[in-house]
Amino acid sequence: MRHIAIVGSGPAGYYTAEACQKAFGDDCRVDIIDRLPVPYGLIRSGVAPDHQSIKAVARRYEAVALSDTVRFVGNVSVGEAVSVPELLDLYDAVVLATGAPADKPLGVPGDDLPGVIGSAAFVGWYNGHPDFAALDPPIGGLDAVVVGAGNVALDVARILAKTEAEFGGSDIVGHALNRLRAAEHATVTLLARRGPHQIAMTPKELGELAHLTRAVPLVDPADLPPLADDAALDPGMRKAVTHLRDFAQPHADKPVRIVFDFFARPVRVEGATHAERVIVARTRLDESGRLVDTGEEYALPATLVVSCIGYRTPPIAGVPYDDALGRFANVDGRIAPGLYAVGWARRGPTGTIGTNRPDGFAIADLIAADIARGSEKAGRAGLDSVLTERGVDIVTFRDWQKIEAAEVTRAREGAPREKFATIAEMLDART
Ligand code: NAP
């Protein structure tokens, strides 16, 4: 028997479990350990609540979770309740699939003012992550600035701009919907430090902005490169830039304007007691494509500044860590004998949910190569006795199904669920 522990129950974790099942059949026992009582990581807490079709992939993970070889062990924080060295004693392979849930700091003066929020916190808040249920972001001011030109920035801008009716069918949590429906944003500015050809946004997500009820996306035509230059782009990027060109055409005005501010780099946030404005440096790309300031600066009013500039994997005691890259030190997923990293914890926060599938299969291949046959290690029975001895209240997949059923029962009309946003509520819902 090969005993495998996967730390983290998001896409990378479940794809790795699926790959181990396929590689080893009945000759493996896989424990998926998560610090939360609820599974699915980024699918539950990161994917936008109005993107339910993406969240539907959780059904595939459920099929893996319900097999005999795989079990979910929730409410267990690795590094606190049990250490990585202890897991390595109990299991033949330990795979860290902990994602990248910490915000990369904005790193400008004033980024600690109230009102400046990282996207992990902001997205976690509207998605009901227990770490951010009490965030209370300053929604309701007229002007918001969203920093970054990636898909997370698009998610945040869209969520800020939607009407209550546009959240129909989503699982945005009640505490966020109540705040957002009362908001009266007039301008949401997306600050992109480079140009339209350097965005990290994808066409489908950009296209959604064109269909919002009360908001209109706007691009300054002067920021667009000559049309002929689009020919050199790959097809996806060309399609994305075509949306930007459309946003530069005259459109009927709407109450909320989503303004793409290209070649714009935040240099500081100012305000007496909370964020009031972002000071922005105008940039350009030099002949070799490097970002340089032009010397021009201007102020954008903003009481809410959401920084969507990427994420880091938090370190875990005893695990080699690459501080410069913000993830576990690894070579193609190998960290140390028996210890692996997969998904964002391996390669950083890039790619779609599906990118994690080949990643999971690659790790299963490494485990197969490194651990030729099973061992007499204690595996899940050993973990159970350690956790019982320490009084840890484990949440099983059956418990999660009860939590999920309770969330479905209390959903507002038209919504798939109303998530519990605190750990105490999640644990209570098991009974
Ligand atoms: P991302 O795609 O890496 O984009 C980060 C953005 O932040 C880039 O535009 C980057 O600009 C900018 N940036 C970085 N540091 C900055 C700084 N100090 N000041 C100003 N701007 C800065 O990251 P993400 O948006 O967090 O997305 C993470 C991953 O999740 C991506 O692969 C994304 O596609 C995926 N995702 C997908 C979906 C979807 O498919 N619907 C939704 C959400 C997220 P530079 O390019 O100049 O560095």
Side-chain angles (χ1 to χ4, degrees):
M1 193 61 73
R2 287 179 184 83
H3 300 284
I4 299 165
I6 297 172
V7 183
S9 68
Y14 268 105
Y15 284 126
T16 304
E18 183 186 346
C20 289
Q21 269 183 334
K22 291 220 161 89
F24 309 123
D26 285 341
D27 294 334
C28 72
R29 291 290 177 271
V30 181
D31 280 355
I32 302 182
I33 305 168
D34 202 293
R35 80 182 172 94
L36 291 185
V38 292
Y40 307 142
L42 199 72
I43 298 294
R44 179 178 166 102
S45 307
V47 171
D50 55 346
H51 282 172
Q52 287 296 312
S53 59
I54 300 178
K55 287 185 188 260
V57 73
R59 292 292 158 228
R60 179 184 182 132
Y61 306 155
E62 187 177 68
V64 175
L66 289 171
S67 66
D68 291 337
T69 47
V70 174
R71 87 174 170 158
F72 172 71
V73 189
N75 203 32
V76 175
S77 180
V78 170
E80 290 174 25
V82 60
S83 71
V84 169
E86 285 173 323
L87 291 179
L88 286 166
D89 281 345
L90 296 170
Y91 294 86
D92 299 306
V94 175
V95 184
L96 302 178
T98 49
D103 281 306
K104 197 174 121 187
L106 190 53
V108 299
D111 67 357
D112 54 348
L113 280 169
V116 184
I117 299 171
S119 54
F122 192 69
V123 171
W125 171 73
Y126 64 61
N127 261 328
H129 192 295
D131 287 356
F132 307 109
L135 184 71
D136 195 21
I139 290 195
L142 288 181
D143 300 295
V145 163
V146 178
V147 184
N151 281 326
V152 171
L154 277 183
D155 280 349
V156 168
R158 189 181 69 254
I159 294 290
L160 287 173
K162 276 196 162 182
T163 61
E164 181 174 8
E166 286 174 301
F167 286 114
S170 82
D171 66 353
I172 189 164
V173 283
H175 64 227
L177 184 59
N178 288 339
R179 296 291 309 284
L180 286 162
R181 76 171 144 220
E184 292 184 348
H185 293 115
T187 307
V188 178
T189 303
L190 281 160
L191 276 192
R193 62 181 173 180
R194 297 191 287 156
H197 275 193
Q198 287 79 35
I199 54 170
M201 298 163 166
T202 44
K204 183 171 165 291
E205 285 64 29
L206 263 173
E208 281 179 80
L209 294 191
H211 305 288
L212 297 177
T213 309
R214 69 170 175 189
V216 59
L218 300 170
V219 167
D220 182 345
D223 285 338
L224 290 166
L227 183 60
D229 292 3
D230 289 7
L233 301 173
D234 71 54
M237 189 65 169
R238 201 177 316 132
K239 212 167 162 192
V241 173
T242 302
H243 284 301
L244 296 177
R245 292 193 183 281
D246 176 48
F247 301 163
Q249 299 295 320
H251 285 284
D253 206 11
K254 292 187 182 178
V256 181
R257 293 145 50 91
I258 301 176
V259 177
F260 286 77
D261 195 356
F262 286 108
F263 302 107
R265 184 177 73 81
V267 287
R268 65 185 176 277
V269 183
E270 292 181 347
T273 55
H274 56 84
E276 292 174 34
R277 73 197 78 81
V278 181
I279 308 301
V280 181
R282 182 62 72 209
T283 63
R284 65 179 178 83
L285 298 178
D286 69 11
E287 306 67 42
S288 44
R290 270 191 317 247
L291 188 71
V292 289
D293 288 350
T294 63
E296 182 195 342
E297 278 192 8
Y298 55 97
L300 283 177
T303 46
L304 173 69
V305 180
V306 187
S307 160
C308 308
I309 60 167
Y311 300 107
R312 292 169 65 85
T313 298
I316 299 180
V319 179
Y321 189 75
D322 186 331
D323 198 44
L325 294 176
R327 60 186 194 231
F328 299 120
N330 72 91
V331 178
D332 296 333
R334 282 192 180 96
I335 300 176
L339 184 60
Y340 306 85
V342 69
W344 283 11
R346 174 182 81 77
R347 65 175 199 278
T350 57
T352 63
I353 301 296
T355 315
N356 295 296
R357 189 162 188 272
D359 242 35
F361 277 77
I363 291 296
D365 286 346
L366 291 187
I367 295 173
D370 294 349
I371 301 155
R373 61 177 67 84
S375 75
E376 298 304 315
K377 288 203 175 189
R380 57 176 61 163
L383 179 69
D384 287 350
S385 59
V386 168
L387 295 177
T388 306
E389 200 178 288
R390 292 174 189 172
V392 180
D393 184 8
I394 293 176
V395 172
T396 66
F397 201 78
R398 295 276 168 225
D399 290 334
W400 150 244
Q401 288 178 310
K402 288 184 195 162
I403 298 169
E404 186 181 33
E407 290 186 338
V408 171
T409 303
R410 70 193 208 122
R412 63 183 173 272
E413 203 184 332
R417 66 188 65 79
E418 178 62 46
K419 290 178 201 163
F420 295 113
T422 66
I423 288 182
E425 287 173 298
M426 292 170 184
L427 296 179
D428 280 354
R430 291 175 297 174
T431 49

